[in-house]
Amino acid sequence: MNLPIRPRRNRRTPAIRSLVRENVLTAADFILPMFLHEDAVDTPIASMPGVTRWSLEGLVKEAGEAHALGVPAVVLFPKIEEDLKTPLAEEAHNDEGLVPRAIRALKAAYPTLCVITDVALDPYNSDGHDGVVRRDAKGELQILNDETVEILCQQALCHARAGADIVSPSDMMDGRVAALREALDSAGFEHVSVLSYSAKYASAFYGPFRGALDSAPKEGDKKTYQMDPGNAREAIREILLDEAEGSDMIMVKPAGPYLDIIARVRESTMLPVAAYQVSGEYLMIESAAAAGWVDGKAIALESLMGIKRAGADMILTYYAKRAAEWLK
């Protein structure tokens, strides 16, 4: 065949493939989500095989091991005791609460570790929603936007006082990024970054996570504040609003089923883009691997590469520590 152009030449040897590779996955791309509780023992999470709900001591040890492998950041998700949950989620801004104590412990042990905190009310809210719940005159459930934002600001300030590097609002209330930025700046925390869940979809892929935190809504669903999975243009509207309000980084969640959204977002903003490989994505890989149907390591790394190739600068993944070990 008379073919002057043969693309396969660029794939001929490992060295050539390395030279022309467009994306490279490294441990520095990962953020490790970590679950914690007040118990003194570390507890495997039944809904997420291979993932643990950590004691404070276990949390510090595991975070240190991940950081030593090159993982630069962790994000904290607390399981709050039932007797501390209230309709107004007061425990969310308790300076001696579980998350502030964990932040202080992590920063004392590993000053170079980036500690990110989840800013939302669902772990602390007795109703299990990301916002304050009220009933209207017809008795229908309403999630109050502005009242919720006031509490989120108190929560973010609580985390900043404890030493958090980044606060990450996952609630999807309108205007919360601007309110958080103003609250942080006014209190002298101009250095604390905001990583907003800008395009967070009302996804069925979150199920195992809610089991890990026992934070599912007691009634209703989250469709009045999380995004409709059928919408793409709306994601751009949300990320541009968060950018205008002062977010330092933005996030798409979930990641794998929303690679098209990650790609559109990447083209629409100059901000760093995060993507969250959520519990349902993780569980599907782990379940298939446990059954012997797929090569779990290969599938996990390929899925992470797909998220990065779509445009994510950083990936929240339960594989962060294991992937760092594999890549090393």
Side-chain angles (χ1 to χ4, degrees):
M1 298 174 66
N2 183 21
L3 294 178
I5 298 173
R6 291 181 179 267
R8 284 187 57 194
R9 283 194 287 264
N10 286 351
R11 307 174 202 144
R12 190 171 60 84
T13 69
I16 294 173
R17 291 196 295 273
S18 177
L19 287 171
V20 301
R21 186 167 295 126
E22 298 171 27
N23 293 280
V24 178
L25 200 63
T26 76
D29 296 320
F30 303 141
I31 298 170
L32 175 62
M34 302 191 75
F35 301 105
L36 63 154
H37 61 183
E38 290 282 8
D39 293 0
V41 296
D42 305 323
T43 307
I45 297 173
S47 61
M48 298 176 66
V51 178
T52 299
R53 191 180 298 120
W54 300 101
S55 64
L56 280 181
E57 182 179 352
L59 178 87
V60 171
K61 181 176 181 294
E62 180 73 1
E65 292 178 0
H67 195 39
L69 288 165
V71 177
V74 298
V75 58
L76 305 179
F77 295 101
K79 183 182 185 299
I80 302 300
E81 299 296 326
E82 285 297 321
D83 60 356
L84 294 176
K85 296 182 181 182
T86 59
L88 294 179
E90 285 89 353
E91 183 64 17
H93 48 87
N94 175 9
D95 284 322
E96 296 304 319
L98 180 58
V99 169
R101 284 185 281 119
I103 297 168
R104 291 193 289 267
L106 288 169
K107 294 303 290 185
Y110 316 110
T112 59
L113 177 69
C114 177
V115 177
I116 306 171
T117 61
D118 180 54
V119 174
L121 304 187
D122 50 328
Y124 308 89
N125 187 334
S126 51
D127 296 291
H129 277 280
D130 293 55
V132 176
V133 175
R134 290 286 186 274
R135 292 191 180 277
D136 62 18
K138 298 179 182 179
E140 296 179 354
L141 208 64
Q142 300 290 326
I143 309 301
L144 304 185
N145 190 94
D146 298 10
E147 293 85 343
T148 296
V149 170
E150 291 181 14
I151 302 172
L152 296 176
C153 288
Q154 296 180 61
Q155 184 181 23
L157 288 172
C158 171
H159 295 174
R161 285 191 294 268
D165 297 290
I166 300 174
V167 294
S168 190
S170 63
D171 56 288
M172 289 298 288
M173 297 297 118
D174 293 337
R176 90 276 207 213
V177 171
L180 288 173
R181 187 70 270 161
E182 181 180 1
L184 290 166
D185 290 355
S186 298
F189 294 112
E190 299 93 343
H191 61 284
V192 174
S193 301
V194 175
L195 164 57
S196 59
Y197 288 65
S198 300
K200 182 179 180 181
Y201 284 84
S203 173
F205 283 87
Y206 303 152
F209 176 96
R210 291 175 182 168
L213 291 189
D214 190 22
S215 62
K218 300 296 188 292
E219 182 180 349
D221 55 42
K222 301 191 176 187
K223 294 180 180 179
T224 65
Y225 45 101
Q226 294 180 356
M227 287 178 53
D228 188 326
N231 292 355
R233 294 190 303 272
E234 185 182 17
I236 307 306
R237 184 187 189 199
E238 289 282 5
I239 67 108
L240 293 178
L241 280 168
D242 282 2
E243 182 173 2
E245 290 180 19
S247 190
D248 298 285
M249 315 162 196
I250 53 91
M251 190 191 302
V252 176
K253 181 182 179 183
Y258 294 82
L259 296 178
D260 62 317
I261 305 300
I262 297 171
R264 289 193 188 201
V265 166
R266 175 68 285 158
E267 294 173 355
S268 302
T269 181
M270 295 300 291
L271 292 180
V273 176
Y276 198 146
Q277 186 183 52
V278 300
S279 57
E281 299 174 68
Y282 169 83
L283 184 59
M284 288 193 298
I285 296 172
E286 288 297 289
S287 298
W293 297 330
V294 299
D295 180 335
K297 173 183 172 181
I299 292 286
L301 289 174
E302 186 175 340
S303 70
L304 293 169
M305 178 59 83
I307 295 165
K308 183 169 183 179
R309 189 183 63 244
D313 299 293
M314 60 199 91
I315 305 170
L316 291 79
T317 175
Y318 302 102
Y319 284 113
K321 184 183 176 187
R322 273 189 279 170
E325 291 173 333
W326 295 332
L327 293 169
K328 188 176 181 181

